[in-house]
Amino acid sequence: MVHKFDAIVVGAGGAGLRCALELSQHNYSVAVLSKLYPVRSHTGAAQGGVGAALGNEEPDNPEWHFFDTVKGSDYLGDQDAIEIMCEDAVEAILELEHFGLPFSRTPEGKIAQRPFGGHTKNFGEAPVKRACYAADRTGHMILHTLFEQCVKNEVRFFNEFYVLDLIMDGDICQGVIAFDLATGEIHVFQAKATMLATGGHGRAFSVTSNAHTYTGDGMAICFRRGIPMEDMEFVQFHPTGMRKLGILISEAARGEGGILRNREDLENIGSGKDGFMGALAPTVKDLAPRDVIARAMYNEIKEGRGIEGSGDTGSDYLYLDLVHLGAEIVNERLPDISHFARTYLAVEPIKEPIPVQPTTHYAMGGIPTDIEGRVLWDAKNKVVPGLYAAGEVACVSVHGANRLGTNSLLDIVVFGRRGGKDMVRYINEAEFGHITGEPDGFIRGEIDRLQNGGGTEKVVDLRPEMQNVMMVNSGVFRSKESLTKARDTILELRQRYQKIGIQDKNAYFNTELVEAIELGFLLDSAWMIAESALHRTESRGAHSREDFPERDDEKWLKHTFIHYEADSKVKFDYKPVTITKFKPKPRVY
Amino acid sequence: MYKIKEGMLAWILHKITGIAIVAFLIFHIWSMSKMSKGPEAFNAVIETYKTPLFRAGEVLLLGGVLFHALNGMRLILGEFTAWAMKQHKLLVYLTYILAGALFLVGAWFMWRAEG
Amino acid sequence: MEVTVEIYRYDPDTEESRFDTFVKEVDPKDRVLDVMMAIKDEDDGTIAFRKSCAHGVCGSDAMEINGLNRLACQVLVQDLKSKRIRIEPIRGMKVLRDLIVDMDSFFAGLEKVKPYLIPAEPAPATERLQSIGDRAIFDDTTKCIMCGSCTTSCPSFRWFNQDFVGPAAFVKAHRFIFDSRDGGNEPRLEILDDKDGLWRCHSIFNCTDACPREIHITKAIGDLKRYTVVHR
Amino acid sequence: MSSRGSSAWLLQRVTGALLFITLGTHFYLYHYFMGPGMWGFDSIGFGATDLATLKAMMESNPEMAKYYKLAHLFAAPLWKVFDVTFISLGTYHGFYGIKAIIDDWVTHDGWRSVANWVVYICGVVLWVMGIVAVISFNPELF
């Protein structure tokens, strides 16, 4: 089946819906394709808040936000993009409020704000209340509010349509190929402009806060089509995942005063006294950026100060202590995470500390775009006409080497909106192209191979192997040795993937087939992560090389672009970091 | 089969007792209109009211009416106060207990009264 | 511990349904979703069900577990207090395959109540002000994740009539009607006061019990009933 | 207030609450008073006659004792008003309840309206029967 729309949005999370909303305000036909129902998107799992220097609770300033984000990014973020994001932030948040988002309120009735990791006043002086929140369901409320507005504007949704490929006419994107999960049919969607907002690749790792559906689809689709990926080595590990499960305990828990405790600190539980972060980051303590805390936690565990004292970073853990906050704050401002702790760990956070360990959380890298969301062919800013990307799948780059908490939700609303605006401009000028040949031929072949190729390898064997090798060897700490092992294992798994076979032959809701396709995308993402991490011989932000522990601005103050060359072969090129106001400095908190 | 929890069982009983009461209401008004036609008609109807089967039915009806009335009050309370909504399980059990207790007293009284 | 898992199967090609039984060794702290994934991985890859976030915030995996609507990712095996786990699709909506039901009709139903802010006044230059108290009135109903557990647990919907607007849509309506910033109640009350609207709620509390977000849905519906009586 | 569903819902609650009181009174009168009890409402002059006359009549003709009691109540204007109210509340609440059940069970629009009309007509007929019985009862025994 062939469909024709002026614009197509792939993915119905915050970035996709914000973009669709922008497009729907004009007289163009828009379709949103998602492999889920929109409200199932992972934006809904974001908890703590969305950053904007509204200054509702105390004086704040977009320039301070700009500085914090640059510093948080370990100076790898492009400062022109960051400045735009921090300045657009105020308007974007007020707009969300106007759309009906039920923010928590200050006593004066304004949008309430809370402190968050890495956000400070006056260029690093002390923590500042910048995260606008709706209890600990900020992402949920953003997702639902945007969906509601799309419903109001009668946006056309194709739910459970899994986009598997781009339609390229030479250098120009002409739309996408999608697989209808309900019927197993392949659909061709022709469009003048296509927005990819498909999210990250957290499921390439074994412990993750990400949804099962977070499988790096958009990145792999582009990579296979010759579009490079930017800064793939930077994967954020969130300090406080629930032990073993990886389910996120929002940074808001520490924003409200939660403290991390090790084994030597057990008698201080409930006292509100500083924990080990007090000594490591004297100004911001437990509100240091995520990379800093995740590394500190790994070190605590490695040195035997984990709660079990085993030194094993895989199974040992630390405590997040909320006891001193009291029942009122825990129940009213952190209701969801308290509920998680009770349900999954049988821990009552008002009385006991919560066992936590770092969990794979966010992809800083992704499809390279400019500040209008246009996808780039190379490090020299050559645009892919008709193709846009926003949100976690994209790399603008505003997060650089490490994303600050609350900036992901900000990223999706700011750049979803900007992308939408530029798409409107582009649609106005562009004509529909010609689709020649069989644009869906490749995908039909792939699906046929998976379903009827008689392969003997199983998804269930390959997937955990990939996830474990990535977690152990391409996790919080990395080295040449570990990354080589990760890369080689992934390449081997990619070979085995060619021989995969599935049991389910049914056309309707063939979830086994979907999982096999997702695994293929994940393997590509994992490959790019391992190769890029191996390539970058320095430590910066979330990328910590034990063999290169220092940041190396001389050699590495630049973005890496990884290109697909051939099976098991990639090549790199580099793009300089845009530096406007803040010259790189050592990063201390 | 969906599990029948407190509120649902109370709802089913409310409907059954409601139907039973309406059935009796129809009979009752019909017989009453006959009774009012004079002493002979009255005594003829009274005879049927005195049969053991009818009297057993009447006692059962008392149970139905008590439950329906008290459960109805619970529902009204629930629809008008947040407190009753939050305590609905407790109130369902209270309804059973109160209806049961009143039924025992009333049934004894009725049986004795018209013996 | 060893559990016996019975999973509902429906084949859209043959239109036949059955239960498949699996005996699995599980950890009591496993989520039912974990058990189902293990069965899919190890025993039968053809079982179809939806899943995404796996911690109760996306609403993909609502199903009937041992006779009650639950999210499979939110129920631990030990919570069931039973060695027999029976898993069925949520009822009242068309089953498309195995545990997957048609959610399109569910979402279309929600749209009836105009589930979006209809501003009472044009937007000011800054945010609209709303007191902490006004915000608290509808806090509970903002938690809805549209999983469908409530509506499909309600006898008025699943037994009788799928035209019934249903608890999920009432929750959405409540979230906007009691939002001090909203001014679009006329069209919503039209639907709520319809023959298939509020009045077919009989305070059965199945929805409240089924809600994975612990929204007090029956109370919200009570609020709407009183509001509708006063404002119509 | 329109007559869609909201007023009917409210009326069902109001009649329900009033029935709680009127049915209690009815039970007391027609089961306690008609049975062994003599003392209560009549002693403050709500019956058709005074208690002494009633007692004398009952003793003179034991066969007719119950009928006299009934007449004592039924013929009194106050209890006529009460019974008319009670019958109206009861038939409305009861038959509206049946209609609510039909609205749940009968999904076909045509059948639903047929069933509702049957219920409506039955309700009105029964209500008229009851009212006529109460109003027309005038035996002049006393």
Side-chain angles (χ1 to χ4, degrees):
Chain A
M1 233 179 135
V2 180
H3 311 259
K4 209 166 170 181
F5 289 93
D6 290 317
I8 279 174
V9 178
V10 184
L17 292 176
R18 185 63 191 80
C19 173
L21 188 54
E22 197 64 38
L23 289 162
S24 70
Q25 288 162 2
H26 298 81
N27 230 352
Y28 296 117
S29 59
V30 189
V32 178
L33 278 63
S34 170
K35 67 173 173 178
L36 304 163
Y37 279 87
V39 291
R40 313 284 180 239
S41 304
H42 204 53
T43 298
Q47 299 165 355
V50 49
L54 299 181
N56 280 354
E57 303 261 4
E58 54 184 324
D60 198 2
N61 180 333
E63 202 182 346
W64 299 347
H65 188 185
F66 175 20
F67 170 77
D68 290 334
T69 306
V70 171
K71 184 179 175 189
S73 81
D74 220 348
Y75 296 92
L76 190 70
D78 286 320
Q79 297 188 9
D80 54 341
I82 296 174
E83 188 168 14
I84 282 171
M85 179 175 80
C86 296
E87 293 200 330
D88 274 12
V90 176
E91 198 187 323
I93 299 309
L94 292 178
E95 206 173 51
L96 285 176
E97 198 282 334
H98 296 159
F99 288 151
L101 199 146
F103 282 109
S104 295
R105 299 288 171 160
T106 66
E108 303 84 53
K110 294 179 180 173
I111 296 170
Q113 297 184 280
R114 59 163 57 123
F116 236 78
H119 290 279
T120 66
K121 62 179 87 177
N122 214 2
F123 310 105
E125 233 174 53
V128 71
K129 291 179 178 176
R130 184 177 293 146
C132 311
Y133 64 96
D136 54 359
R137 316 185 263 282
T138 316
H140 164 84
M141 290 325 319
I142 289 179
L143 180 69
H144 280 249
T145 303
L146 291 174
F147 176 62
E148 288 153 12
Q149 290 298 310
C150 284
V151 168
K152 186 178 183 182
N153 287 6
E154 297 178 351
V155 171
R156 178 93 187 269
F157 284 98
F158 289 86
N159 298 322
E160 300 190 320
F161 271 65
Y162 190 7
V163 169
L164 301 180
D165 201 3
L166 298 174
I167 305 171
M168 298 301 293
D169 175 21
D171 272 3
I172 306 167
C173 179
Q174 296 286 359
V176 296
I177 307 294
F179 174 75
D180 180 1
L181 299 188
T183 61
E185 284 165 11
I186 309 279
H187 293 246
V188 175
F189 286 84
Q190 190 184 359
K192 289 183 187 171
T194 303
M195 162 62 81
L196 294 177
T198 57
H201 52 47
R203 281 281 153 180
F205 295 81
S206 58
V207 178
T208 176
S209 63
N210 290 174
H212 282 288
T213 43
Y214 239 43
T215 51
D217 306 341
M219 299 176 192
I221 289 169
C222 288
F223 188 60
R224 290 170 183 185
R225 282 283 175 184
I227 295 166
M229 291 296 127
E230 185 177 349
D231 293 340
M232 287 300 280
E233 58 273 38
F234 298 104
V235 178
Q236 180 166 78
F237 297 88
H238 194 290
T240 52
M242 277 168 50
R243 187 191 178 206
K244 284 188 178 160
L245 297 164
I247 296 170
L248 192 66
I249 307 269
S250 168
E251 201 163 295
R254 281 171 289 127
E256 297 293 350
I259 296 166
L260 287 162
R261 305 220 174 266
N262 61 22
R263 199 154 71 112
E264 292 169 357
D265 204 14
L266 296 179
E267 74 274 14
N268 288 332
I269 287 167
S271 69
K273 285 186 191 149
D274 280 358
F276 59 86
M277 284 312 297
L280 296 172
T283 325
V284 288
K285 299 171 186 163
D286 290 87
L287 281 175
R290 291 171 180 172
D291 57 330
V292 175
I293 296 189
R295 271 194 296 277
M297 289 172 76
Y298 259 57
N299 278 328
E300 292 298 311
I301 289 170
K302 219 185 315 182
E303 285 164 24
R305 291 192 294 274
I307 301 304
E308 284 180 358
S310 69
D312 173 4
T313 49
S315 68
D316 208 347
Y317 58 97
L318 293 161
Y319 277 143
L320 175 63
D321 171 18
L322 306 179
V323 177
H324 58 286
L325 300 181
E328 201 175 314
I329 286 189
V330 171
N331 287 336
E332 276 176 27
R333 298 207 199 146
L334 307 165
D336 275 16
I337 61 167
S338 324
H339 189 231
F340 296 153
R342 286 171 199 137
T343 308
Y344 298 114
L345 297 172
V347 165
E348 174 47 66
I350 296 166
K351 295 190 184 123
E352 320 156 69
I354 307 169
V356 291
Q357 65 184 151
T359 182
T360 315
H361 186 56
Y362 189 83
M364 270 75 73
I367 305 170
T369 71
D370 63 12
I371 50 171
E372 310 304 339
R374 294 179 293 194
V375 174
L376 305 176
W377 270 120
D378 56 29
K380 295 186 185 66
N381 292 334
K382 185 186 169 202
V383 169
V384 183
L387 189 60
Y388 291 76
E392 191 173 347
V393 74
C395 179
V396 184
S397 134
V398 283
H399 307 306
N402 174 62
R403 175 175 70 77
L404 288 189
T406 77
N407 274 355
S408 58
L409 289 177
L410 183 58
D411 179 6
I412 59 176
V413 292
V414 167
F415 289 99
R417 178 169 174 258
R418 289 185 79 87
K421 284 187 198 295
D422 199 70
M423 284 167 84
V424 170
R425 178 197 61 77
Y426 180 80
I427 293 166
N428 229 340
E429 297 165 3
E431 296 290 323
F432 278 105
H434 294 284
I435 298 181
T436 47
E438 281 179 36
D440 53 349
F442 172 70
I443 288 306
R444 284 185 193 278
E446 275 291 291
I447 287 175
D448 185 56
R449 179 178 66 78
L450 290 168
Q451 222 166 355
N452 307 312
T456 50
E457 292 285 1
K458 286 196 149 73
V459 173
V460 59
D461 295 328
L462 270 58
R463 192 172 51 204
E465 207 178 324
M466 166 193 69
Q467 290 170 333
N468 287 331
V469 80
M470 290 301 285
M471 196 73 209
V472 175
N473 298 296
S474 189
V476 173
F477 284 105
R478 301 147 168 199
S479 66
K480 184 178 180 192
E481 200 187 4
S482 76
L483 289 166
T484 309
K485 184 172 184 233
R487 193 261 321 262
D488 292 348
T489 310
I490 297 297
L491 286 177
E492 183 204 318
L493 290 172
R494 278 169 55 84
Q495 290 303 316
R496 288 172 62 192
Y497 180 75
Q498 292 306 313
K499 296 196 250 354
I500 219 154
I502 59 167
Q503 207 182 334
D504 194 345
K505 308 294 179 204
N506 206 314
Y508 308 100
F509 288 105
N510 192 330
T511 50
E512 199 189 4
L513 174 63
V514 170
E515 285 185 16
I517 296 169
E518 288 176 335
L519 176 62
F521 289 151
L522 276 175
L523 282 168
D524 283 1
S525 298
W527 181 32
M528 292 185 265
I529 296 165
E531 289 280 12
S532 303
L534 188 57
H535 192 68
R536 185 179 282 271
T537 51
E538 66 157 351
S539 287
R540 182 185 296 272
H543 176 63
S544 306
R545 291 279 300 251
E546 281 169 314
D547 42 356
F548 298 95
E550 297 301 321
R551 193 173 87 191
D552 183 354
D553 284 342
E554 210 147 296
K555 199 169 164 221
W556 284 110
L557 190 60
K558 60 188 179 188
H559 302 288
T560 49
F561 277 54
I562 182 169
H563 293 260
Y564 180 82
E565 281 251 292
D567 257 346
S568 63
K569 242 185 104 189
V570 293
K571 80 170 189 219
F572 287 95
D573 60 1
Y574 312 97
K575 180 175 151 182
V577 174
T578 309
I579 293 171
T580 57
K581 266 197 189 137
F582 304 109
K583 299 282 169 270
K585 281 192 283 190
R587 186 163 161 255
V588 283
Y589 283 94
Chain B
M1 180 65 191
Y2 206 80
K3 263 192 194 152
I4 295 178
K5 308 270 281 191
E6 289 82 356
M8 189 159 165
L9 183 62
W11 168 67
I12 293 171
L13 291 176
H14 198 75
K15 296 283 146 165
I16 292 174
T17 52
I19 293 170
I21 294 165
V22 170
F24 179 78
L25 181 72
I26 294 170
F27 169 80
H28 198 48
I29 290 184
W30 171 77
S31 62
M32 185 189 73
S33 67
K34 278 174 69 176
M35 282 158 96
S36 63
K37 295 226 163 21
E40 294 74 23
F42 174 83
N43 277 348
V45 174
I46 279 293
E47 282 312 303
T48 60
Y49 272 50
K50 276 183 176 165
T51 58
L53 192 69
F54 190 91
R55 291 185 57 213
E58 235 181 356
V59 171
L60 268 183
L61 186 78
L62 173 74
V65 167
L66 282 170
F67 174 79
H68 193 90
L70 288 168
N71 193 52
M73 294 314 265
R74 175 185 71 87
L75 289 172
I76 294 174
L77 203 62
E79 281 166 331
F80 287 89
T81 69
W83 170 81
M85 280 289 183
K86 297 230 158 108
Q87 297 298 328
H88 92 271
K89 283 187 188 175
L90 174 76
L91 288 174
V92 170
Y93 292 127
L94 264 180
T95 303
Y96 290 135
I97 292 169
L98 203 58
L102 285 174
F103 172 68
L104 289 179
V105 175
W108 175 78
F109 204 63
M110 253 170 91
W111 195 258
R112 206 191 59 126
E114 295 183 16
Chain C
M1 68 186 276
E2 196 182 80
V3 290
T4 307
V5 187
E6 296 165 29
I7 298 181
Y8 179 88
R9 305 300 302 273
Y10 173 77
D11 183 339
D13 280 325
T14 60
E15 297 185 7
E16 278 165 11
S17 65
R18 61 172 196 277
F19 278 91
D20 280 352
T21 306
F22 305 90
V23 177
K24 291 300 277 184
E25 187 59 37
V26 301
D27 186 318
K29 281 196 170 290
D30 277 348
R31 294 165 272 193
V32 170
L33 183 67
D34 296 327
V35 177
M36 293 173 68
M37 282 163 61
I39 291 172
K40 187 173 170 67
D41 284 346
E42 295 155 20
D43 301 290
D44 186 348
T46 68
I47 299 172
F49 52 90
R50 292 184 175 113
K51 64 173 191 298
S52 186
C53 80
H55 62 286
V57 297
C58 81
S60 298
D61 57 349
M63 36 194 95
E64 194 179 307
I65 300 169
N66 284 2
L68 294 169
N69 281 0
R70 293 288 183 262
L71 298 183
C73 62
Q74 241 184 19
V75 183
L76 307 190
V77 171
Q78 65 191 17
D79 299 341
L80 292 172
K81 297 185 173 60
S82 162
K83 294 203 159 187
R84 193 175 140 276
I85 306 176
R86 191 178 169 91
I87 302 167
E88 297 172 61
I90 48 175
R91 297 298 189 174
M93 287 185 276
K94 190 173 184 292
V95 177
L96 300 177
R97 182 178 170 186
D98 298 349
L99 300 164
I100 295 178
V101 300
D102 171 29
M103 293 298 283
D104 285 343
S105 59
F106 172 73
F107 280 100
L110 288 182
E111 287 178 20
K112 280 196 247 174
V113 297
K114 307 212 178 293
Y116 38 79
L117 188 81
I118 301 171
E121 282 157 29
T126 61
E127 67 262 56
R128 293 190 178 88
L129 298 183
Q130 182 169 54
S131 71
I132 291 173
D134 281 349
R135 168 66 178 75
I137 293 171
F138 65 99
D139 182 67
D140 202 32
T141 43
T142 64
K143 297 192 303 204
C144 174
I145 54 175
M146 302 184 177
C147 65
S149 294
C150 55
T151 297
T152 54
S153 74
C154 177
S156 290
F157 180 86
R158 58 185 272 153
W159 284 10
F160 304 131
N161 187 349
Q162 276 87 54
D163 292 335
F164 177 42
V165 173
F170 294 146
V171 166
K172 272 282 161 196
H174 183 278
R175 180 251 169 276
F176 288 103
I177 284 176
F178 291 98
D179 188 331
S180 57
R181 301 169 295 172
D182 190 275
N185 288 347
E186 254 330 290
R188 293 195 193 105
L189 289 181
E190 191 79 23
I191 296 297
L192 295 181
D193 199 14
D194 185 69
K195 65 181 164 54
D196 289 316
L198 284 171
W199 321 113
R200 291 193 43 224
C201 161
H202 309 303
S203 299
I204 297 166
F205 289 91
N206 273 10
C207 53
T208 303
D209 175 75
C211 180
R213 305 283 289 168
E214 297 178 351
I215 301 171
H216 215 295
I217 304 176
T218 316
K219 178 190 166 290
I221 299 175
D223 294 344
L224 286 173
K225 286 174 176 167
R226 294 195 307 278
Y227 185 90
T228 306
V229 163
V230 174
H231 290 86
R232 282 275 299 182
Chain D
M1 204 192 281
S2 88
S3 61
R4 290 289 281 285
S6 48
S7 37
W9 172 81
L10 186 64
L11 207 52
Q12 189 72 347
R13 267 85 201 137
V14 170
T15 53
L18 290 176
L19 276 168
F20 198 83
I21 303 160
T22 49
L23 188 68
T25 313
H26 176 81
F27 254 60
Y28 170 79
L29 283 179
Y30 292 95
H31 289 278
Y32 179 70
F33 178 80
M34 289 293 282
M38 287 292 286
W39 320 111
F41 298 93
D42 41 75
S43 59
I44 39 175
F46 288 162
T49 181
D50 61 291
L51 216 57
T53 316
L54 176 63
K55 253 185 158 173
M57 289 182 70
M58 283 166 69
E59 274 158 19
S60 69
N61 192 351
E63 286 282 293
M64 295 288 284
K66 277 209 165 183
Y67 185 71
Y68 291 144
K69 269 191 182 178
L70 179 86
H72 172 69
L73 294 173
F74 240 48
L78 179 92
W79 293 117
K80 284 195 177 199
V81 171
F82 174 85
D83 279 325
V84 166
T85 311
F86 177 58
I87 289 169
S88 305
L89 289 172
T91 46
Y92 176 82
H93 187 91
F95 281 84
Y96 188 82
I98 300 289
K99 177 197 139 50
I101 295 174
I102 288 170
D103 281 348
D104 270 347
W105 282 88
V106 185
T107 54
H108 182 273
D109 275 352
W111 288 118
R112 195 195 264 191
S113 87
V114 168
N116 281 339
W117 273 106
V118 169
V119 169
Y120 177 69
I121 291 165
C122 289
V124 170
V125 167
L126 200 72
W127 178 70
V128 170
M129 268 173 74
I131 299 298
V132 167
V134 170
I135 305 253
S136 65
F137 185 76
N138 270 322
E140 292 193 27
L141 292 170
F142 308 108

